[in-house]
């Protein structure tokens, strides 16, 4: 498909995709199948997105590998064999490269190129996409496959430049790896990345100081090699399993939610359910009863249970107490799955610093200054997270209709219709954008849900000679209000989480993902499409 017209109004590509992670790769494949000419821009020198950048020691997906894979091609899934229950980063990256080879994706991906701006021109109906390599390419469809956790963030500590050792961010880890053997290391941050990397760094470091601002709920992942029997079985059932996963709240079938409410169960039955799920490992724990994520009293029971389990892993009671999360309900910050994390605090070379008692003042030449004490270090690891969900989208200077900047429009928080598009920005799609289930679900299921919807949409537009699709302001306002209402009914707003934007000073505190479930959301997507894209304006 190419449009007729003068050179200025002619597109260079039928679609441009920003990012070559799981989302960008599948989007490219689907659009090419439609016969479109597509260019993908990717900052890294290879495919992978999150899994390309997050190469820190211990990096592992917290969704089981048999579910954390594409579900669109039987040939692709049958040709790949996972080795562990939770795949480690190198294995996931190998898988992505296997898919890229299989579909011959790289020929349409321009690597080592960062998209800097995208500007919409209403007259031609085209986006001009600009890159740091000087590209200026026109396209009718611009698709942000930029990921939810891809804008790594180092806090604005004073003195970082003065530090005489080396420092790293988990989300932007050196490809050659880092050897901490015999080194004094400070790790700042105890979210998933800190909790995964700390046990491995502790094995190497001569001394490890861990700076904790928020104690997190963490449970043993229960990682293990996969049995041949389950690998074989999944290869037979994956496509049907994926169909079932789309009908679940989280896009996962490895566990089911218990619908019974906490108060409907006896204390013994609750305890048994919690213990079974805790031992199972993974997010099953959060489904122990129906109101665990909705009602504080119900959540408290699970939180007490979790703290008791965690406490038992730490030898010294005063250290155990510092590691106990009391300031948020369990599950409203991402539950961490660990392998030997809490036991690390029983080692003599590991020290815990509670940043809540005394904040980090600055980085010095010799290390980290906190509470008036200098913690000397040869290396500092920032496991301090991301400007989540909006950081990578707004990292591109996007200008829509009438010169409106997306950064300005979203200054008080992201505004989308269905997490897919934003009023005033025609033909600009977000894959797993804010306002969609995204990070509250199995990302690959949500990515496929969006890519399939966008592909169908673009196919209908182009075959119907419809030039543009744009969310209406009314539909967007209603959707934003709906997401806020659902969040307000849940316990999610009760934590300073990155779901809320609370980890970034000055970022508006708005609950960003859609908490109503992949199943309900999928139903809504289908209804919208079936009703001629209700809530969107279609332009001739
Ligand atoms: P997270 O979960 O955002 O964790 C970042 C950690 O860094 C968290 O403990 C933060 O404390 C801490 N942090 C951030 N800024 C500071 C400052 N200024 N001082 C001290 N401590 C700080 O990121 P991850 O990379 O671990 O995980 C992200 C997701 O990737 C994860 O949820 C999985 O989905 C995969 P805070 O909690 O904000 O008090």
């Amino acid at each position: 498909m190419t449009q007729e017209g003068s050179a200025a109004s002619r597109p260079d590509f039928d679609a441009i995709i920003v990012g070559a992670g799981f989302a960008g790769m599948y989007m490219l494949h689907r659009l090419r199948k439609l016969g479109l000419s597509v260019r993908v821009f990717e900052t890294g020198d290879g495919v992978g997105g999150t899994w390309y950048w997050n190469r820190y020691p211990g990096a592992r997906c917290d969704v089981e590998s048999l579910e954390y894979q594409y579900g669109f091609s039987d040939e692709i899934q049958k040709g790949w064999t996972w080795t562990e229950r939770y795949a480690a980063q190198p294995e996931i990256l190998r898988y992505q490269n296997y898919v890229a080879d299989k579909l011959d994706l790289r020929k349409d991906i321009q690597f080592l190129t960062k998209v800097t701006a995208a500007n919409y021109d209403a007259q031609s109906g085209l986006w001009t996409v600009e890159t740091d390599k000087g590209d200026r390419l026109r396209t009718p469809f611009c698709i942000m496959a930029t990921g939810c956790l891809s804008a790594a963030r180092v806090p604005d500590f004073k003195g970082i430049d003065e530090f005489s050792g080396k420092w790293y961010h988990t989300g932007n880890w050196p490809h050659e790896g880092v050897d901490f053997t015999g080194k004094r290391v400070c790790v700042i941050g105890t979210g998933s990345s800190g909790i995964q990397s700390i046990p491995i760094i502790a094995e190497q470091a001569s001394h490890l100081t861990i700076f904790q601002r928020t104690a997190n709920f963490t449970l043993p992942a229960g990682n293990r090699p996969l049995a041949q029997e389950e690998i074989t079985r999944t290869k037979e059932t994956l496509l049907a399993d994926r169909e079932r996963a789309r009908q679940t709240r989280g896009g996962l079938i490895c566990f089911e939610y218990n619908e019974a409410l906490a108060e409907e169960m006896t204390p013994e039955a609750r305890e048994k359910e919690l213990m079974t799920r805790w031992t199972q490992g993974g997010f099953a724990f959060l489904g122990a009863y129906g109101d665990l994520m909705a009602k504080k009293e119900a959540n408290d029971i699970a939180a007490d249970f979790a703290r008791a389990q965690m406490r038992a892993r730490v030898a010294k009671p005063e250290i155990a107490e510092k590691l106990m999360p009391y300031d948020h309900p369990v599950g409203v910050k991402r539950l961490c799955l660990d392998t030997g994390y809490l036991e690390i605090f029983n080692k003599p070379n590991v020290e815990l610093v509670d940043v809540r008692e005394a904040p980090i003042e600055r980085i010095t030449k010799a290390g980290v200054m906190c509470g008036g004490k200098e913690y000397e270090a040869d290396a500092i690891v920032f496991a301090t997270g991301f400007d989540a969900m909006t950081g990578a989208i707004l990292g591109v200077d996007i200008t829509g209709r009438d010169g409106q900047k997306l950064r300005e429009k979203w200054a008080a928080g992201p505004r989308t219709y269905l997490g897919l598009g934003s009023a005033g920005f025609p033909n600009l799609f977000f894959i797993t954008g804010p306002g969609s289930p995204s990070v509250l679900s199995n990302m690959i299921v949500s990515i496929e849900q969006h890519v399939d919807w966008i592909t169908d949409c673009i196919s209908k537009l182009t075959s119907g000679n419809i030039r543009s699709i744009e969310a209406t302001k009314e539909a967007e306002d209603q959707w934003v209000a709906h997401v806020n209402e659902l969040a307000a009914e849940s316990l999610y707003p009760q934590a300073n989480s990155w779901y809320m934007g609370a980890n970034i000073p000055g970022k508006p505190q708005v609950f960003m993902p859609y908490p109503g479930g992949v199943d309900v959301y999928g139903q809504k997507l289908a209804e919208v499409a079936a009703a001629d894209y209700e809530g969107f304006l279609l332009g001739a």
Side-chain angles (χ1 to χ4, degrees):
M1 183 204 88
T2 39
Q3 293 183 357
E4 303 284 317
S6 69
S9 64
R10 232 177 278 141
D12 298 290
F13 289 94
D14 295 327
I16 288 181
I17 299 169
V18 187
F22 272 113
M25 290 168 64
Y26 181 44
M27 191 80 246
L28 168 62
H29 170 62
R30 289 297 316 268
L31 292 183
R32 270 194 339 201
K33 283 258 179 201
L34 283 185
L36 304 196
S37 64
V38 187
R39 167 68 53 89
V40 181
F41 289 112
E42 166 56 51
T43 314
D45 71 356
V47 298
T50 292
W51 302 106
Y52 173 92
W53 298 104
N54 283 266
R55 299 180 191 227
Y56 61 84
R60 202 175 275 289
C61 187
D62 56 11
V63 172
E64 300 194 25
S65 55
L66 295 176
E67 299 212 55
Y68 194 79
Q69 59 178 322
Y70 286 125
F72 67 85
S73 158
D74 210 28
E75 191 192 339
I76 284 180
Q77 67 99 4
K78 286 214 167 103
W80 183 263
T81 300
W82 296 100
T83 62
E84 291 182 274
R85 180 179 176 195
Y86 296 98
Q89 174 272 333
E91 187 171 28
I92 301 175
L93 190 58
R94 278 200 301 279
Y95 167 76
Q96 291 173 304
N97 276 285
Y98 150 78
V99 175
D101 288 342
K102 199 94 186 145
L103 301 175
D104 195 13
L105 295 179
R106 288 187 201 81
K107 66 179 182 210
D108 292 312
I109 305 175
Q110 186 172 320
F111 292 106
L112 294 171
T113 308
K114 192 175 173 59
V115 171
T116 51
N119 303 307
Y120 181 70
D121 171 44
Q123 200 163 11
S124 62
L126 297 178
W127 285 90
T128 301
V129 175
E130 297 177 17
T131 75
D132 63 350
K133 295 291 181 297
D135 303 282
R136 280 178 62 85
L137 296 171
R138 284 180 303 267
T139 181
F141 297 106
C142 181
I143 302 160
M144 303 297 285
T146 38
C148 296
L149 294 160
S150 30
R153 185 174 178 277
V154 178
D156 317 315
F157 292 125
K158 282 196 199 118
I160 293 185
D161 295 342
E162 292 160 29
F163 180 54
S164 60
K166 292 221 163 119
W167 63 266
Y168 311 91
H169 189 287
T170 48
N172 195 0
W173 200 259
H175 289 196
E176 63 280 13
V178 183
D179 182 6
F180 292 109
T181 305
K183 299 236 158 61
R184 297 162 304 167
V185 184
C186 286
V187 177
I188 301 176
T190 53
S192 295
S193 303
I195 282 177
Q196 287 186 339
S197 58
I198 282 165
I200 296 175
I201 298 174
E203 277 170 20
Q204 300 175 348
S206 62
H207 189 87
L208 179 59
T209 312
I210 296 155
F211 295 83
Q212 171 189 274
R213 185 164 72 182
T214 304
N216 268 309
F217 286 98
T218 181
L219 82 167
N223 189 35
R224 57 172 171 76
L226 286 171
Q228 188 54 48
E229 187 271 324
E230 58 192 323
I231 294 170
T232 310
R233 179 168 30 88
T234 306
K235 284 192 181 183
E236 291 315 312
T237 61
L238 183 93
L239 298 195
D241 289 349
R242 184 51 58 91
E243 200 42 53
R244 275 205 295 137
R246 289 192 195 103
Q247 309 310 322
T248 66
R249 209 183 300 178
L252 291 166
I253 56 162
C254 62
F255 72 91
E256 285 186 5
Y257 286 87
N258 178 10
E259 295 301 332
L261 304 180
E263 63 185 19
E264 293 168 351
M265 299 164 76
T266 62
E268 295 74 30
R270 270 192 318 248
E271 179 85 7
K272 185 159 174 262
E273 191 73 29
L274 288 166
M275 183 55 92
T276 307
R277 286 166 183 265
W278 186 269
T279 315
Q280 185 183 337
F283 297 114
F285 181 71
L286 299 177
Y289 37 85
D291 47 357
L292 196 154
M293 294 296 289
K295 210 165 148 205
K296 181 72 169 55
E297 299 74 36
N299 188 284
D300 283 345
I301 298 168
D304 283 341
F305 177 93
R307 282 188 287 262
Q309 297 301 317
M310 289 168 61
R311 208 175 274 121
R313 297 169 61 189
V314 185
K316 289 197 180 134
E318 67 279 12
I319 296 180
E321 215 38 42
K322 280 190 183 177
L323 289 161
M324 290 306 111
Y326 286 109
D327 68 347
H328 61 277
V330 61
V332 301
K333 274 176 103 104
R334 181 87 166 197
L335 191 62
C336 298
L337 310 190
D338 76 271
T339 303
Y341 172 65
L342 291 168
E343 290 78 5
I344 282 301
F345 294 92
N346 301 330
K347 290 182 72 165
N349 66 331
V350 175
E351 186 177 359
L352 177 64
V353 178
D354 186 344
V355 174
R356 284 255 169 98
E357 283 173 7
I360 294 171
E361 288 146 34
R362 57 174 294 129
I363 307 298
T364 64
K365 189 164 182 282
V368 179
M369 181 68 82
C370 182
K373 184 173 168 193
E374 190 172 46
Y375 296 85
E376 291 189 0
D378 304 304
I380 300 175
V381 174
F382 293 99
T384 45
F386 301 86
D387 183 353
M389 307 203 67
T390 53
I393 294 174
L394 298 181
V396 178
D397 184 11
I398 298 174
T399 311
R401 193 185 286 290
D402 303 325
Q404 185 181 21
K405 298 268 183 199
L406 193 65
R407 286 175 186 162
E408 283 164 21
K409 181 177 173 185
W410 287 9
R415 300 193 71 77
T416 71
Y417 178 40
L418 303 169
L420 276 165
S422 197
F425 297 81
N427 292 7
L428 176 74
F429 293 103
F430 310 114
I431 301 178
T432 65
S436 73
S438 62
V439 292
L440 300 182
S441 68
N442 176 354
M443 280 300 287
I444 303 204
V445 168
S446 286
I447 283 169
E448 289 183 342
Q449 196 177 42
H450 268 184
V451 169
D452 291 345
W453 192 94
I454 293 167
T455 306
D456 285 352
C457 174
I458 291 180
S459 167
K460 283 187 187 129
L461 295 182
T462 51
S463 62
N465 234 351
I466 298 166
R467 260 179 41 161
S468 75
I469 181 163
E470 177 182 349
T472 66
K473 184 163 178 321
E474 296 70 38
E476 178 175 291
D477 288 346
Q478 278 170 20
W479 186 252
V480 170
H482 174 58
V483 173
N484 286 339
E485 275 161 27
L486 290 180
E489 286 165 13
S490 76
L491 298 174
Y492 282 114
Q494 296 191 19
N496 293 327
S497 66
W498 56 258
Y499 298 144
M500 297 284 298
N503 61 326
I504 308 281
K507 188 166 173 171
Q509 298 215 7
V510 178
F511 189 75
M512 293 183 283
Y514 169 79
V518 170
D519 46 355
V520 176
Y521 178 80
Q523 184 70 31
K524 172 78 180 166
L525 284 189
E527 284 165 13
V528 166
D532 287 332
Y533 297 97
E534 188 179 24
F536 290 96
L537 270 178
L538 302 183

